[in-house]
Amino acid sequence: MLKESKRAVNSIRSLVEEEDEEDDVEKVSWSGEPVGSISWSVKETESSIRSTGEVRDQSFPKIHTAPSLPKNSSGYSLSSLFKGKAKTGSFQSFSESFGDPSIRNYAPELRKPKSEYKDYVSDWTPEETVKRMQQGKVYSLEKFRSLQDKLLLLDEAVNAHDGNVITAVLIYLKKSLSKEILFRELITREIALRHYIHYLKEIGEQKLLVELFKSMDRTEDMALMQYRDHLNVRDENKKRDFLKNCLSFPFSPDDATHVQDHYTLLERQIIIEANDKQVESSGQADIFKKYPRKASILNMPIITTLYYSCFYHYGESDGTFSSPANIRKTFRISDKQFLLTCLGARAKLKAWFDVDALFTTKNWLGYTKKRSPIGFHRIVDILQKNNAPVQVLQDYVNLVEDVEQKISLAQKYKCHDVIINTYRDLKDRQQLIVYRGKVERGSSEYRKIEEILSNSQLRWKN
């Protein structure tokens, strides 16, 4: 038994020595010397000191008096080279041991932890996907393939009350679903439907919008979308024909009236433009010679058309399309709007007689009186902007009912007679004396104030 134990110990020792020999063979430096020997330790220390000195003196070049040969000593064994780690006790890394930058250590990249790959996992629920969309994180909608999953995603986006998320989901559904199925599902989802309609309007999908309204039996909205296409028609005659076809669309009563007026206005503008262009080129009318047209009347609003008519066609009979009275009647323009527009046009031409005629009315006894649906203070401002003479301004300042406003306007526009007569009617002697000091001495206004103050028949209140 003792002999058998000794043989077992000897066999174990031989195995250990074989392993040590294998390790010694494996750990050999580049110069062929065994790692750990005395010569290897000396050369390793010398190499590390030299490399450290070179690192410190990189910024200060040295002048070598004798050529030196590079030594191929290294602190890396064959096993450490292929394992990608340095031998313990080395003072520098493997890449620092070589001056040649082309020699690199290609160590394998370690696998990242699973926690770093969580943003790239695509098996999120609809709720998680919507939250990621709100937070601006990476998300994918392609995994939602079935109709049920897509609708759950849409409902979750609506519940989040985020318009951007709802629109993003709707864009995905628009690409991945047929329009018939999408329209059918949106009918029962009012919030999503409103976002989808707004999105289609923004991108200009007019044809798809019309189909959507038609599928929902919203005929009035469908008609309005088709009517909106007139904006894309440039030629006036083609636009007129297009608007004529729109008259048969199922509009609401108010919208139908608007479309009818639009068609009628454009039709008249085409006639007026052709006639005035011919008259202007022939030089038959003085108004076009004195005030040449600066722009075409085509596609102008109704108020601009009325102003044009009052400027170039004032006084024409009611039977002509260009007559201001005819335009007023056809398009149901209010008295106030007609008066302001016509006043601006006639005041621009300095036609003060026509201005007076706008406000002059007769009663059943034949007496004339000026009346206006708007305040006379506004009329005074319009006349002053058109450089009306002082006499014309005074006539309308006198028509202002409020005394303080009347005096304020008269002082602003230097209507002296209005101020003097107002103080006289108020029997305010003190204010009249104060105002006498504001006018030029010896002027007609000054003399008038003197005559009033010297009139003994007036009973002053102060």
Side-chain angles (χ1 to χ4, degrees), residues 5 12 66 120 129 150-151 187 198 204 217 221 251 288 303 339 345 363 388 390 403 412 421 424:
S5 299
I12 293 173
Y120 302 96
T129 302
K150 292 176 181 179
L151 295 179
I187 291 176
H198 179 74
D217 199 25
D221 294 329
F251 293 104
F288 291 110
I303 298 303
L339 180 64
N363 59 12
V390 176
V403 176
K412 181 178 180 180
N421 293 334
R424 181 198 61 191

Side-chain angles (χ1 to χ4, degrees), residues 133-148:
M133 295 172 71
Q134 288 180 307
Q135 296 170 358
K137 295 183 178 180
V138 178
Y139 66 92
S140 174
L141 303 181
E142 302 297 332
K143 68 174 293 292
F144 299 96
R145 299 181 181 275
S146 66
L147 177 61
Q148 182 180 2

